[in-house]
Each structure stands twice: as structure tokens, then as C-alpha cells.
Amino acid sequence: MSVLQVSGAPRLLGGASSRCNARSFRHWHPQQLPQRQPNSCHARCSYYWSLRADQARRSLSWHQSRRPVTLARKEGRRRLERGHLPAFAASDSKEVALPQEIVEQDASCTALPKQALRLRKPKSVSEVATILRRLGRERRVEFIRSHSRDFLPSIHEANVLLDKLRCRRAGAAAQDVLDWLIDSEDAALTPTIDTFLSALRACANSGHFKGTERILSQMEAWGLVNDAAYSQAVICYLKLGWRNQATKVLERYEGSVLAAKGPDPYNKFLERMLPGPNDSSPERLFKRMLRMGVSPNMDTFQSLAAIYAKQGDCHRAELVLQSCQQHGFTLSPRLYTSLLNAYALNGALDKCEEVLVRAQRTEADDGALYAALLNAYCRIQDVQGAERTMGTLRSRALDGTFCIPALAYSSMIRLLSQTGSLTRARAVFDEMVKESEVNGMQGAYLVYSAMMEAYIGAGDIDDAELVFELMRAKKIPFNEAPCRILLEGYGQHREVERLRKLFNRMCDWGLSSSQSTLITLANAFSDAKDLKGLNAFTEFLENLRPSISTGVIQAIVRSYVECGDLDKAEYMVIKLCKHFRKPVQVKYFNIVLEGICKAEDARRAESLLDVMKGQRLKANSETMLILQEIYTRAGMEDEAQWVRSLRMEGGVVNVDFFKSTVDGWVYIGMS
């Protein structure tokens, strides 16, 4: 069977008495082991290891027969480590044709990987960084000890290597390299403060908090600590959502003798703290900063203004501008933009125009400020106000004051398309194309994306594809956003071949497969009712083992439900959670229950509750509501009334307290 095809999933719903747990999904092997069991403990151990040896011999011959599939999977893993998923097959052929150099490379390094790795010398620092990202702990340490003299002749190359480590394992790899540099007796490889900062940056970006804490302690012991070190530690903990740990880092920073007591760690804290709607922690942190004698800079006030703009707190945003002036700073356009966004979030457009006038008086207006005002008009669909602001922007652009930003064009195109003026939206788009050819434009892909959304909303998928090809022909830098828009359009119009072809091209372009793209792709297959493409996409995820979120699992399960394959949806709930080491949650089974509700199959719903019992899950209120709807649609009024009474009592029902009988479900207890 080809790696691009998925075999049919076993049927797990045999009736009300079916049982399903994690042990049911064992790895399939072509030859099963004998079932006899010895009696004594010593005999059982000897028998176990003899079976393992026999299984290994049979597995070797089996894997040799599966060599083309193995090579395809290895190539897929390499493509994933480079930042993208492999492409789907262009046709439904059963054989996978790989390039000859890939086959030769795999044939030369799969037999004895450790020996081949030890003999092979890296050619560049980038190649070393790639190797370190792929290896495990033991082999990574062995590789560093074996080849460190080849690729690290001086501390400069070590710093470059640490800067290139950017992935999940970057923190552990940077820590291993730093440990080797510290243990090295070569004077040319003595770590400097840049070395420690590079390793600390790699740990912070990958969320490796243990490495971050260890390196920070080493810097304090060596006397090489500075403000940037504490800033990276704050970034690491806030990226993980540990605000208390980040606060403790600030306490260490305030008590350090070597630190310069600057505002940089506080600014990093403000940029990444993500407070709630009525959270006063930014104000408390600012007062703490002043209490410690640290003078704020312009980044501090801009971070505070941005926080209050997201909260919609206009009063505190005004206080930030006043405090900025009291500290002797000139108000920047970014501060006025944050204040305008705060007023726009509350719908006070008259105040937004007053902010624009205040900025014009101090000559602190720029294109971003006008774009924010234009976006405020678009939010309430005020076409006249938006066109008036756009006319002002055009006149200022003709004067040479500043260029029209891409956000203004994209907001105007979305507004005109939502009001049904697709022709005027196209005229604005053509104007942007001419402007970008003359003066250039940063973020022009946003305007192309808005025009593609307008065409897809109007049902014209061909013109949307032409806009996408025009963007590529003009060599406009873009990310996954335009591709996701086109994927959604293909799914809505059930363009299956175009959908697969676009994902192939995304893989060839090297676009990273983010969680949003995976969710969009699963939803696109669901909209297109392409069960075969969904099976291939799921198999790719299983073979390549990327780190996926719970949202991706939900999207895949929901896609199978909407495609009508409830058996595969239930099968994927447990299989994906086990494969990607995610906890099985009730919300996955609730999605399957929604599909069962549409089929009006009460017995199948009871069978699914039995599966949840095997997973030791508790049915929540949403589960009971769906179950009540299923019984109502199936005409089982007594059972529906009984479930409703349980749900109205306000308890969370444990599936273990239900017992299945011939007549229905008998309630035993409630947790």
C-alpha cells in the first residue's frame, strides 16, 4: 500500500456493548507473536527477550520489503524539518517515485546511522545547526565531541552557530554546545558575553525554561550578566505564560549588582504580558519601575499605550500620553495611533478625528494614523467617511509627505466589497498596483489578499486565482495568508484538484505549515467533501509526526463528521490523541455526537458513551444537551425527559455511573 493512501479504519461501533480503549490501537505487524505464557518469573523474562529478538529479525525482513515507503517517509520528515509538509500526489498512482539522489543518500546512511554520522564531516555552520536540531540528546553530545574541532575553530563560529539554532530543540542543543565550550581547554574557545546571550536567546525562543535558568545562573556566576540577559529570561517565561516566574526574574534583576538598571527588561515584560480587559498589572509594573529609580523611555510608553488600546481604555491611554510629555518626550505617531485605536474600539469616531487633528498640529501624523482612522470607518461601514479619509491620504501622498500604507488599501477594498461595490474595489486595487510599481509598498500581499477575498465572496474563484498569480508574477513577498484564502475558496467551491495542487505548490515554495494552515486545509477538504484527500492529509500528519494543536484535531474530526464518515471520526479521536501524545478530551466526542444527532441514531450515541467510559471521561453539560436532542429526534421521549432532568440538576454526569440495558439506560449515580 502506498504512503499516499490510507486503509479503511476498523469499525469500532459494534453496538451498545462495544468497548474501546487505548490498547485497541496497537501497532500492526504482519506476523503476530505466539500467545503461550510461561509460569515462573525467570522463564517469563527469558521468553520475553527471545520473543523480542525473534520479532526484531522478522521486522528487519518486513522493513526491507517496505523500503520504498520507508524512503518516502524519511524524505517527508526531512521536508518537515525544513519547515513545510510534503506535497500530495498529483495522481492516484500506487507507487512513489523519488529522485535517485534521495534514494542513494538514504541507502548510504540508514544502515549504520551512528557510524555514518561519526565519519561524515559538516561543510558549513548552517549544516551543523540543522544536524543538531535533528539529533537526540546522546547523539547530539557525541556529535559535538567528535566534530567540534572541525566546525568551531574560534569563538566567533560558535556564536554564529548558536544564533542559527531556532527550533523546538534549539534550547537543549545550545546548552550542549555551551557546556562543551566551557569544558574546553582551548583559550580561543572561551565563552564571551555574546556567546552566553546567543545561547540564552536560543533557549528563550524555544521556550526551554530549564536551559534559560541554568545559563542565566552561569552568567551571574561568571560576572557576565547584563540587561539583555534578564530580558531574554523574561521573554522565555512570558512565552510560556508564567508571569510569576517572569516577575521573579525582575526581582533578580533589581537585586543584581552588575545590571545597569535600564528599562529594557520592563519593556519586554510589557510587550508580552497580555493583560485582561480590566487588568491593572501594566500600571503596577510601571509604578514599580519608577519606584526602583528606572527611567522609562519611548518604548515603555508605546508598549503601555498599545496595551490600553487593545483594552479600549481611552482614559488610561490619555494618561500615558500626558506622562510621556511630563518625562520630556515628544509624542510619536505610534502613540497617537494607539490612542485613536482605543477610541475606535469604543465607536467614538468624533474623538478619533480629534486625535488626528492633534497629531497634525504637532506634525506627528503618518500613514499608519490615517490607516487606523480609515479602518475605524470601515468597522462601522461608513463609506463616505472612509472615502474622505482616503482622499486626504492621496493628497498627502502627492505632496510627498508619506506613502499610502497597504493597510489603508486593504481596508478600503474590504469595505467596498462588503457593500456590493466590487467594481470600485477593483479600481482601488488597480490604483495600488500602479502605486507599488512606482514607489514600492511594504506588505502589499495584504491588498492582494483583500482582493482575493472580495472575488471569493462574490463567487468568482477564477478571478481570485488570477489575482494570486499576478502577485507571484510581480514577485511580491507573501506568507501563508493568501494561500489560506485561496484554500478556503477552493473548498467552498469544491475544487478538489485545485485544492491539492495549491497545497503541493505551498510545500514546494517552502511555506511553513502553521497550525492555522492545517486547520484551513482540513476545513477545505470538509467543504469540498473530499474524503480521499482528507485521508491522505491525515496520513501525512501521522507519518511525519509534527507538533499539532488541539484545534487541528478538532478540525480533522469535524471534517470526517461533515463528510459523513462517523466511524473514521471516532477512530481518529483516539488515534490522533495517542499518536501526538495529546489527552483525549470530551469536546472531541461531542463533535462526533453532533454528527450522530443528525443521523438520529440513539443506539450509536449510547455506544459512543461506552467508548468515553473506556477512556475514563466525564460527560459535560454539552454532551447531555446533545444526547437529549438525539433522544428527542429518535422519538424516545422518556429517555429525553430523563436526560433533561439530569441536566437541569446541574451535575456533571460521569459515564461510569450509567449501565446499558435492553430497554435503555439506567442511572446509577452522579459525580
Side-chain angles (χ1 to χ4, degrees):
M1 184 180 63
S2 172
V3 70
L4 300 176
Q5 298 176 355
V6 178
S7 59
R11 184 178 179 84
L12 302 175
L13 300 171
S17 61
S18 62
R19 293 293 185 268
C20 178
N21 52 28
R23 297 180 181 177
S24 303
F25 303 98
R26 292 178 179 172
H27 179 66
W28 175 82
H29 196 273
Q31 301 186 25
Q32 301 292 334
L33 298 178
Q35 300 297 325
R36 60 184 179 86
Q37 295 290 338
N39 295 326
S40 64
C41 179
H42 178 73
R44 282 198 300 269
C45 294
S46 302
Y47 176 71
Y48 171 76
W49 288 112
S50 63
L51 286 181
R52 291 294 299 271
D54 190 27
Q55 183 186 15
R57 286 193 296 270
R58 284 197 290 253
S59 178
L60 179 62
S61 60
W62 179 71
H63 280 292
Q64 289 177 353
S65 64
R66 299 272 296 177
R67 182 147 184 88
V69 178
T70 304
L71 295 180
R73 289 178 178 174
K74 287 182 179 294
E75 169 62 12
R77 292 190 186 98
R78 285 196 296 271
R79 292 175 64 86
L80 178 67
E81 290 164 356
R82 290 197 296 265
H84 52 84
L85 287 175
F88 286 114
S91 61
D92 296 334
S93 60
K94 297 184 178 181
E95 296 183 357
V96 180
L98 295 177
Q100 186 64 25
E101 59 270 12
I102 296 179
V103 177
E104 294 177 356
Q105 182 180 0
D106 280 335
S108 63
C109 65
T110 53
L112 296 174
K114 290 188 177 181
Q115 289 79 352
L117 181 63
R118 190 178 296 114
L119 294 176
R120 185 173 178 273
K121 294 183 179 181
K123 299 179 181 180
S124 62
V125 178
S126 300
E127 186 177 355
V128 173
T130 304
I131 294 174
L132 292 178
R133 287 195 295 263
R134 297 178 182 178
L135 298 181
R137 166 72 179 175
E138 296 180 358
R139 297 183 65 190
R140 183 170 60 239
V141 174
E142 180 184 358
F143 178 81
I144 293 173
R145 292 176 179 176
S146 302
H147 297 287
S148 56
R149 298 292 180 183
D150 299 331
F151 59 81
L152 294 180
S154 65
I155 196 63
H156 174 70
E157 282 75 10
N159 296 342
V160 174
L161 173 62
L162 291 172
D163 288 332
K164 290 182 177 294
L165 291 175
R166 300 171 184 173
C167 69
R168 289 184 304 167
R169 299 181 181 178
Q175 188 175 353
D176 293 335
V177 173
L178 185 61
D179 291 342
W180 179 83
L181 292 174
I182 293 175
D183 297 337
S184 177
E185 298 179 355
D186 192 352
L189 296 176
T190 303
T192 61
I193 188 171
D194 294 334
T195 309
F196 282 103
L197 286 177
S198 299
L200 192 61
R201 193 178 300 111
C203 292
N205 293 335
S206 60
H208 194 273
F209 65 94
K210 292 183 179 180
T212 301
E213 182 66 26
R214 181 181 175 187
I215 294 174
L216 185 61
S217 301
Q218 288 176 343
M219 295 182 70
E220 291 176 344
W222 283 47
L224 297 176
V225 71
N226 58 3
D227 292 4
Y230 290 105
S231 300
Q232 293 299 327
V234 168
I235 291 173
C236 176
Y237 286 121
L238 290 179
K239 182 174 290 188
L240 297 173
W242 298 351
R243 189 184 294 185
N244 294 333
Q245 297 294 333
T247 305
K248 292 181 180 179
V249 172
L250 284 182
E251 293 176 356
R252 292 172 61 179
Y253 171 68
E254 292 167 354
S256 176
V257 181
L258 300 174
K261 301 297 186 298
D264 188 58
Y266 297 95
N267 295 341
K268 299 299 182 184
F269 203 114
L270 288 171
E271 289 175 2
R272 292 168 173 82
M273 67 187 314
L274 299 177
N278 297 319
D279 193 355
S280 61
S281 55
E283 185 178 357
R284 293 198 305 268
L285 182 62
F286 181 70
K287 291 180 179 179
R288 176 180 178 175
M289 179 179 176
L290 298 178
R291 191 167 55 250
M292 293 302 299
V294 178
S295 300
N297 56 9
M298 182 57 71
D299 293 336
T300 308
F301 294 107
Q302 289 177 351
S303 300
L304 281 172
I307 290 174
Y308 293 137
K310 293 178 182 178
Q311 293 179 344
D313 195 340
C314 307
H315 176 67
R316 290 185 176 179
E318 290 280 6
L319 292 179
V320 169
L321 268 67
Q322 294 178 9
S323 179
C324 181
Q325 289 179 332
Q326 291 175 1
H327 282 79
F329 294 103
T330 303
L331 298 182
S332 63
R334 184 176 171 184
L335 288 173
Y336 282 113
T337 303
S338 299
L339 181 60
L340 192 146
N341 288 329
Y343 282 118
L345 195 61
N346 293 314
L349 291 181
D350 53 345
K351 294 291 185 180
C352 293
E353 294 181 353
E354 290 180 5
V355 172
L356 181 60
V357 173
R358 288 164 55 185
Q360 291 175 349
R361 291 173 182 173
T362 58
E363 297 182 357
D365 56 333
D366 61 350
L369 187 60
Y370 285 93
L373 180 60
L374 180 62
N375 192 23
Y377 282 117
C378 294
R379 189 174 299 171
I380 62 173
Q381 294 188 354
D382 187 353
V383 180
Q384 295 180 356
E387 290 182 343
R388 184 172 61 254
T389 307
M390 195 67 182
T392 307
L393 263 175
R394 291 191 182 99
S395 61
R396 299 297 296 273
L398 291 176
D399 296 341
T401 308
F402 45 75
C403 298
I404 303 177
L407 182 60
Y409 282 114
S410 60
S411 300
M412 195 67 192
I413 289 175
R414 287 190 177 93
L415 174 62
L416 293 175
S417 62
Q418 291 173 2
T419 55
S421 302
L422 188 60
T423 305
R424 296 170 63 186
R426 179 69 192 197
V428 174
F429 174 75
D430 294 337
E431 177 188 348
M432 184 278 307
V433 173
K434 296 179 181 179
E435 178 69 20
S436 61
E437 290 177 353
V438 177
N439 300 322
M441 182 176 297
Q442 186 177 3
Y445 72 93
L446 297 173
V447 188
Y448 286 90
S449 301
M451 196 65 230
M452 290 165 57
E453 287 181 350
Y455 277 126
I456 291 175
D460 194 348
I461 190 66
D462 295 331
D463 285 344
E465 188 173 2
L466 290 177
V467 172
F468 182 77
E469 295 300 332
L470 177 63
M471 179 180 63
R472 292 193 60 246
K474 292 185 176 297
K475 299 181 180 180
I476 304 295
F478 63 95
N479 54 10
E480 297 180 21
C483 301
R484 286 200 295 265
I485 294 172
L486 207 53
L487 286 173
E488 292 177 356
Y490 287 149
Q492 294 173 4
H493 293 80
R494 298 190 178 184
E495 297 285 347
V496 178
E497 295 299 329
R498 290 183 178 182
L499 177 62
R500 298 183 184 181
K501 183 179 178 181
L502 177 59
F503 189 74
N504 287 344
R505 297 170 70 185
M506 290 176 62
C507 298
D508 295 336
W509 295 332
L511 294 177
S512 61
S513 55
S514 64
Q515 305 298 322
S516 301
T517 302
L518 297 180
I519 294 174
T520 302
L521 189 62
N523 294 335
F525 281 121
S526 173
D527 295 337
K529 306 298 180 183
D530 184 13
L531 188 59
K532 189 174 182 180
L534 184 60
N535 289 336
F537 171 66
T538 307
E539 186 179 3
F540 278 124
L541 293 181
E542 295 171 1
N543 293 333
L544 300 175
R545 298 181 63 89
S547 176
I548 66 174
S549 62
T550 57
V552 179
I553 299 179
Q554 283 184 276
I556 292 175
V557 174
R558 191 178 299 277
S559 299
Y560 277 112
V561 170
E562 293 181 358
C563 289
D565 196 345
L566 297 177
D567 293 342
K568 195 63 176 293
E570 182 185 349
Y571 174 72
M572 281 298 167
V573 169
I574 302 178
K575 184 177 181 181
L576 291 178
C577 291
K578 181 183 178 182
H579 187 81
F580 297 108
R581 299 179 181 179
K582 300 288 184 180
V584 182
Q585 302 182 26
V586 182
K587 58 184 179 181
Y588 304 145
F589 289 100
N590 289 343
I591 296 174
V592 184
L593 273 177
E594 291 176 358
I596 296 176
C597 181
K598 296 179 181 179
E600 301 179 359
D601 192 349
R603 296 302 178 186
R604 185 167 192 151
E606 296 172 355
S607 177
L608 186 63
L609 288 178
D610 201 13
V611 175
M612 295 173 62
K613 175 182 176 181
Q615 296 295 322
R616 300 179 180 179
L617 294 176
K618 293 182 180 180
N620 54 18
S621 59
E622 183 181 358
T623 309
M624 303 306 295
L625 183 62
I626 299 174
L627 187 62
Q628 176 187 347
E629 182 68 20
I630 291 174
Y631 281 135
T632 303
R633 292 189 178 187
M636 305 170 68
E637 297 296 337
D638 295 337
E639 288 81 358
Q641 184 66 25
W642 169 69
V643 174
R644 181 179 180 276
S645 63
L646 292 178
R647 188 172 59 85
M648 296 302 292
E649 290 178 4
V652 179
V653 182
N654 190 339
V655 183
D656 291 336
F657 290 91
F658 284 97
K659 182 176 67 176
S660 177
T661 62
V662 178
D663 298 330
W665 289 83
V666 177
Y667 177 66
I668 299 177
M670 179 179 291
S671 61

